[in-house]
Coordinates of all heavy atoms in Angstrom, one line a residue:
L427 N -6.1 -0.9 20.4 CA -7.3 -1.2 19.6 C -8.1 -2.3 20.3 O -9.3 -2.3 20.4 CB -6.9 -1.7 18.2 CG -6.4 -0.7 17.2 CD1 -5.9 -1.3 16.0 CD2 -7.5 0.4 16.9
A428 N -7.4 -3.3 20.9 CA -8.1 -4.4 21.5 C -8.8 -4.0 22.8 O -9.9 -4.4 23.1 CB -7.1 -5.5 21.8
E429 N -8.1 -3.1 23.6 CA -8.7 -2.8 24.9 C -9.7 -1.6 24.8 O -10.7 -1.6 25.6 CB -7.5 -2.4 25.8 CG -6.6 -3.6 26.2 CD -5.5 -3.2 27.1 OE1 -5.4 -2.0 27.4 OE2 -4.8 -4.1 27.5
K430 N -9.5 -0.7 23.9 CA -10.3 0.6 23.9 C -11.3 0.6 22.8 O -12.4 1.2 23.0 CB -9.4 1.8 23.7 CG -8.3 1.9 24.9 CD -7.4 3.1 24.7 CE -6.4 3.2 25.8 NZ -5.6 4.4 25.7
V431 N -11.1 -0.1 21.7 CA -12.0 0.0 20.6 C -12.9 -1.3 20.4 O -14.1 -1.2 20.2 CB -11.3 0.3 19.3 CG1 -12.2 0.3 18.1 CG2 -10.5 1.6 19.4
A432 N -12.2 -2.4 20.6 CA -12.9 -3.7 20.4 C -14.2 -3.9 21.2 O -15.1 -4.5 20.7 CB -11.9 -4.9 20.6
P433 N -14.2 -3.4 22.4 CA -15.4 -3.7 23.2 C -16.7 -2.9 22.7 O -17.8 -3.3 23.2 CB -15.0 -3.2 24.6 CG -13.6 -3.2 24.7 CD -13.1 -2.9 23.3
H434 N -16.6 -2.0 21.9 CA -17.7 -1.2 21.4 C -18.7 -2.1 20.7 O -18.4 -3.0 20.0 CB -17.3 -0.1 20.5 CG -18.3 1.0 20.3 ND1 -19.4 0.8 19.5 CD2 -18.4 2.2 20.9 CE1 -20.1 1.9 19.5 NE2 -19.6 2.8 20.4
A435 N -20.0 -1.8 20.9 CA -21.1 -2.6 20.4 C -21.1 -2.7 18.9 O -21.6 -3.7 18.3 CB -22.4 -2.0 20.8
L436 N -20.5 -1.7 18.2 CA -20.5 -1.7 16.7 C -19.3 -2.5 16.1 O -19.3 -2.7 14.9 CB -20.4 -0.3 16.1 CG -21.7 0.6 16.2 CD1 -21.4 1.9 15.6 CD2 -22.9 -0.1 15.7
V437 N -18.4 -3.0 17.0 CA -17.2 -3.6 16.5 C -17.3 -5.1 16.6 O -17.4 -5.7 17.6 CB -16.0 -3.0 17.3 CG1 -14.7 -3.7 16.9 CG2 -15.9 -1.5 17.2
G438 N -17.1 -5.7 15.4 CA -17.1 -7.2 15.3 C -15.7 -7.7 15.4 O -15.5 -8.9 15.9
E439 N -14.7 -7.0 15.1 CA -13.3 -7.4 15.2 C -12.4 -6.2 15.0 O -12.7 -5.3 14.2 CB -13.0 -8.5 14.1 CG -11.6 -9.0 14.1 CD -11.3 -10.0 13.0 OE1 -11.0 -9.6 11.8 OE2 -11.4 -11.2 13.2
V440 N -11.3 -6.2 15.7 CA -10.1 -5.3 15.4 C -8.9 -6.2 15.1 O -8.8 -7.3 15.6 CB -9.8 -4.4 16.5 CG1 -11.0 -3.5 16.9 CG2 -9.4 -5.1 17.8
R441 N -8.1 -5.7 14.2 CA -6.8 -6.5 13.9 C -5.8 -5.5 13.5 O -6.1 -4.4 13.0 CB -7.1 -7.5 12.8 CG -7.7 -6.9 11.5 CD -8.0 -8.0 10.5 NE -8.5 -7.4 9.3 CZ -9.8 -7.2 9.1 NH1 -10.7 -7.6 10.0 NH2 -10.3 -6.7 8.0
S442 N -4.5 -5.8 13.7 CA -3.4 -5.0 13.2 C -2.2 -5.8 12.9 O -2.1 -6.9 13.3 CB -3.1 -3.9 14.3 OG -2.6 -4.5 15.5
F443 N -1.3 -5.1 12.1 CA -0.1 -5.7 11.8 C 0.9 -4.6 11.7 O 0.8 -3.8 10.7 CB -0.2 -6.5 10.4 CG 0.9 -7.4 10.1 CD1 0.9 -8.7 10.5 CD2 2.0 -7.0 9.2 CE1 2.0 -9.6 10.2 CE2 3.0 -7.8 8.9 CZ 3.0 -9.1 9.4
G444 N 1.8 -4.5 12.6 CA 2.7 -3.3 12.6 C 1.8 -2.1 12.9 O 1.0 -2.0 13.8
L445 N 1.9 -1.0 12.0 CA 1.1 0.1 12.1 C 0.1 0.1 10.9 O -0.1 1.1 10.2 CB 1.9 1.4 12.1 CG 2.5 1.8 13.5 CD1 3.1 3.2 13.5 CD2 1.4 1.7 14.6
M446 N -0.6 -1.0 10.8 CA -1.8 -1.1 9.9 C -2.9 -1.7 10.8 O -2.6 -2.6 11.5 CB -1.5 -2.0 8.7 CG -0.4 -1.7 7.8 SD -0.1 -2.9 6.6 CE -1.5 -2.8 5.5
G447 N -4.1 -1.1 10.7 CA -5.1 -1.6 11.5 C -6.5 -1.6 10.8 O -6.7 -0.9 9.8
A448 N -7.4 -2.5 11.3 CA -8.7 -2.5 10.7 C -9.8 -2.7 11.8 O -9.5 -3.4 12.8 CB -8.9 -3.6 9.7
I449 N -10.9 -2.1 11.7 CA -12.1 -2.3 12.6 C -13.3 -2.7 11.8 O -13.7 -1.9 10.9 CB -12.3 -0.9 13.3 CG1 -11.1 -0.4 14.0 CG2 -13.5 -1.1 14.3 CD1 -11.1 1.1 14.3
E450 N -13.8 -3.8 12.1 CA -15.0 -4.3 11.3 C -16.3 -3.8 12.0 O -16.5 -4.0 13.2 CB -15.0 -5.8 11.3 CG -13.9 -6.5 10.6 CD -13.9 -6.2 9.1 OE1 -14.9 -5.7 8.6 OE2 -12.9 -6.6 8.4
I451 N -17.1 -3.1 11.3 CA -18.4 -2.5 11.8 C -19.5 -3.5 11.6 O -19.7 -3.9 10.4 CB -18.7 -1.2 11.1 CG1 -17.5 -0.2 11.3 CG2 -20.0 -0.6 11.7 CD1 -17.1 0.1 12.7
V452 N -20.2 -3.9 12.6 CA -21.3 -4.9 12.5 C -22.5 -4.4 13.2 O -22.5 -3.5 14.1 CB -20.8 -6.2 13.1 CG1 -19.7 -6.8 12.4 CG2 -20.5 -6.1 14.6
K453 N -23.6 -4.9 12.8 CA -24.9 -4.6 13.4 C -25.1 -5.4 14.7 O -25.6 -4.8 15.7 CB -26.0 -4.9 12.5 CG -27.4 -4.5 13.0 CD -28.5 -4.8 11.9 CE -29.9 -4.4 12.3 NZ -30.9 -4.6 11.3
D454 N -24.7 -6.6 14.7 CA -24.8 -7.5 15.8 C -23.5 -8.1 16.2 O -22.9 -8.8 15.5 CB -25.8 -8.6 15.5 CG -26.1 -9.5 16.7 OD1 -25.2 -10.1 17.3 OD2 -27.3 -9.6 17.1
K455 N -23.0 -7.7 17.4 CA -21.7 -8.1 17.8 C -21.5 -9.6 18.0 O -20.5 -10.2 17.7 CB -21.3 -7.4 19.1 CG -19.9 -7.4 19.5 CD -19.6 -6.6 20.8 CE -18.2 -6.5 21.1 NZ -17.4 -5.6 20.2
G456 N -22.6 -10.3 18.4 CA -22.6 -11.7 18.7 C -22.5 -12.5 17.4 O -21.8 -13.5 17.3
T457 N -23.4 -12.1 16.5 CA -23.4 -12.9 15.2 C -22.6 -12.4 14.1 O -22.4 -13.0 13.1 CB -24.9 -13.0 14.7 OG1 -25.3 -11.6 14.3 CG2 -25.8 -13.5 15.8
R458 N -22.0 -11.1 14.3 CA -21.2 -10.4 13.3 C -22.1 -10.1 12.1 O -21.5 -9.9 11.0 CB -20.0 -11.2 12.9 CG -19.0 -11.4 14.0 CD -17.7 -12.1 13.5 NE -16.7 -12.0 14.5 CZ -15.4 -12.5 14.3 NH1 -15.2 -13.2 13.2 NH2 -14.5 -12.4 15.2
E459 N -23.4 -10.0 12.2 CA -24.3 -9.6 11.1 C -23.9 -8.1 10.7 O -23.7 -7.2 11.6 CB -25.7 -9.6 11.6 CG -26.7 -9.1 10.5 CD -28.1 -8.9 11.0 OE1 -28.3 -9.2 12.2 OE2 -29.0 -8.5 10.3
R460 N -23.8 -7.9 9.4 CA -23.5 -6.6 8.9 C -24.8 -5.7 8.8 O -25.9 -6.2 8.8 CB -22.9 -6.7 7.5 CG -21.6 -7.4 7.4 CD -20.4 -6.6 7.9 NE -19.2 -7.1 7.4 CZ -18.0 -6.6 7.7 NH1 -17.9 -5.5 8.4 NH2 -16.9 -7.2 7.3
F461 N -24.6 -4.4 8.7 CA -25.6 -3.5 8.4 C -26.0 -3.6 7.0 O -25.1 -3.9 6.1 CB -25.2 -2.0 8.7 CG -25.2 -1.7 10.2 CD1 -24.1 -1.8 10.9 CD2 -26.3 -1.2 10.8 CE1 -24.0 -1.5 12.3 CE2 -26.3 -0.8 12.1 CZ -25.2 -1.0 12.9
S462 N -27.2 -3.4 6.6 CA -27.6 -3.3 5.2 C -27.1 -1.9 4.7 O -26.8 -1.0 5.5 CB -29.1 -3.4 5.0 OG -29.8 -2.4 5.7
G463 N -27.1 -1.7 3.4 CA -26.8 -0.4 2.9 C -25.4 -0.4 2.1 O -25.0 0.7 1.7
G464 N -24.8 -1.5 2.0 CA -23.6 -1.6 1.1 C -22.5 -0.6 1.5 O -22.0 0.1 0.7
G465 N -22.1 -0.5 2.8 CA -21.1 0.3 3.2 C -21.5 1.6 3.9 O -20.7 2.5 4.2
A466 N -22.8 1.8 4.0 CA -23.3 3.1 4.6 C -22.9 3.2 6.0 O -22.6 4.3 6.5 CB -24.8 3.1 4.5
A467 N -22.8 2.1 6.7 CA -22.3 2.2 8.1 C -20.9 2.6 8.2 O -20.5 3.4 9.1 CB -22.5 0.8 8.8
G468 N -20.0 2.1 7.3 CA -18.7 2.6 7.3 C -18.5 4.1 7.0 O -17.7 4.8 7.6
V469 N -19.3 4.6 6.1 CA -19.3 6.0 5.8 C -19.8 6.8 7.0 O -19.2 7.9 7.3 CB -20.3 6.3 4.6 CG1 -20.5 7.8 4.4 CG2 -19.7 5.7 3.3
A470 N -20.8 6.3 7.7 CA -21.2 7.0 8.9 C -20.1 7.1 10.0 O -19.9 8.2 10.6 CB -22.5 6.3 9.5
V471 N -19.4 6.0 10.1 CA -18.3 6.1 11.1 C -17.2 7.0 10.6 O -16.6 7.8 11.4 CB -17.7 4.6 11.3 CG1 -16.5 4.7 12.2 CG2 -18.8 3.7 12.0
R472 N -16.8 6.9 9.3 CA -15.8 7.8 8.8 C -16.1 9.2 9.0 O -15.3 10.0 9.4 CB -15.6 7.5 7.3 CG -14.5 8.3 6.6 CD -14.7 8.3 5.1 NE -16.0 9.0 4.8 CZ -16.5 9.0 3.5 NH1 -16.0 8.3 2.6 NH2 -17.6 9.7 3.3
D473 N -17.3 9.6 8.6 CA -17.7 11.0 8.7 C -17.7 11.5 10.1 O -17.3 12.6 10.5 CB -19.1 11.2 8.1 CG -19.1 11.1 6.5 OD1 -18.0 11.0 6.0 OD2 -20.2 11.0 5.9
A474 N -18.2 10.6 11.1 CA -18.2 11.0 12.5 C -16.7 11.1 13.0 O -16.4 12.0 13.8 CB -18.9 9.9 13.3
A475 N -15.8 10.3 12.5 CA -14.4 10.3 12.9 C -13.8 11.6 12.5 O -13.1 12.3 13.2 CB -13.6 9.1 12.4
I476 N -14.0 12.0 11.2 CA -13.5 13.3 10.7 C -14.0 14.5 11.5 O -13.3 15.4 11.9 CB -13.8 13.5 9.2 CG1 -13.1 12.4 8.4 CG2 -13.3 14.8 8.7 CD1 -13.4 12.3 6.9
A477 N -15.3 14.4 11.9 CA -15.9 15.5 12.7 C -15.2 15.5 14.1 O -15.1 16.6 14.7 CB -17.4 15.2 12.8
E478 N -14.7 14.3 14.5 CA -14.0 14.3 15.8 C -12.5 14.6 15.7 O -11.8 14.5 16.7 CB -14.2 12.9 16.4 CG -15.6 12.6 16.9 CD -16.0 13.5 18.1 OE1 -15.1 13.9 18.9 OE2 -17.2 13.8 18.2
G479 N -12.1 14.9 14.5 CA -10.7 15.2 14.3 C -9.8 14.1 14.0 O -8.6 14.1 14.4
L480 N -10.3 13.0 13.3 CA -9.5 11.9 13.0 C -9.8 11.5 11.5 O -10.9 11.2 11.2 CB -9.7 10.7 13.9 CG -9.1 9.4 13.5 CD1 -7.5 9.5 13.6 CD2 -9.6 8.2 14.3
M481 N -8.8 11.4 10.7 CA -8.9 11.0 9.3 C -8.7 9.5 9.3 O -7.6 9.0 9.6 CB -8.0 11.7 8.4 CG -8.2 11.4 6.9 SD -9.8 11.9 6.3 CE -9.5 13.7 6.3
L482 N -9.7 8.7 8.9 CA -9.5 7.3 8.6 C -10.4 6.9 7.4 O -11.1 7.8 6.9 CB -9.8 6.4 9.8 CG -11.3 6.1 10.2 CD1 -11.4 5.0 11.3 CD2 -12.0 7.4 10.8
R483 N -10.2 5.7 6.9 CA -10.8 5.4 5.7 C -11.8 4.2 5.8 O -11.6 3.4 6.7 CB -9.7 4.9 4.7 CG -10.2 4.6 3.3 CD -9.0 4.3 2.4 NE -9.3 3.9 1.1 CZ -8.5 3.5 0.2 NH1 -7.2 3.5 0.4 NH2 -8.9 3.1 -1.0
A484 N -12.9 4.3 5.1 CA -13.9 3.2 5.1 C -13.8 2.4 3.8 O -13.8 3.0 2.7 CB -15.3 3.8 5.2
V485 N -13.6 1.1 3.9 CA -13.7 0.1 2.8 C -14.9 -0.7 3.1 O -14.8 -1.7 3.9 CB -12.4 -0.7 2.7 CG1 -12.5 -1.7 1.6 CG2 -11.2 0.2 2.4
G486 N -16.0 -0.4 2.4 CA -17.3 -1.1 2.8 C -17.5 -0.7 4.3 O -17.5 0.5 4.7
D487 N -17.8 -1.7 5.1 CA -18.0 -1.5 6.5 C -16.7 -1.8 7.4 O -16.8 -2.2 8.5 CB -19.2 -2.2 7.0 CG -20.5 -1.5 6.6 OD1 -20.4 -0.3 6.3 OD2 -21.5 -2.2 6.6
T488 N -15.6 -1.8 6.7 CA -14.3 -2.0 7.4 C -13.6 -0.6 7.5 O -13.4 0.1 6.5 CB -13.4 -2.9 6.6 OG1 -14.1 -4.2 6.4 CG2 -12.1 -3.2 7.4
M489 N -13.3 -0.2 8.7 CA -12.5 1.0 8.9 C -11.0 0.7 9.0 O -10.6 -0.2 9.7 CB -12.9 1.7 10.2 CG -14.4 1.8 10.4 SD -15.4 2.4 9.0 CE -14.6 4.1 8.8
I490 N -10.2 1.4 8.2 CA -8.8 1.1 8.1 C -7.9 2.3 8.6 O -8.3 3.4 8.4 CB -8.4 0.6 6.8 CG1 -8.7 1.6 5.7 CG2 -9.1 -0.8 6.5 CD1 -8.3 1.1 4.3

Side-chain angles (χ1 to χ4, degrees):
L427 287 174
E429 293 180 356
K430 299 179 180 182
V431 177
H434 197 280
L436 288 184
V437 176
E439 178 181 87
V440 298
R441 56 184 179 270
S442 66
F443 194 84
L445 280 187
M446 302 174 69
I449 304 160
E450 297 290 352
I451 305 302
V452 295
K453 183 177 182 179
D454 187 299
K455 196 174 183 71
T457 65
R458 293 182 169 183
E459 177 192 358
R460 296 282 196 183
F461 285 91
S462 60
V469 171
V471 175
R472 180 201 66 193
D473 291 348
I476 295 172
E478 289 295 330
L480 172 67
M481 185 64 72
L482 77 170
R483 183 176 176 182
V485 175
D487 284 342
T488 303
M489 314 311 300
I490 56 179

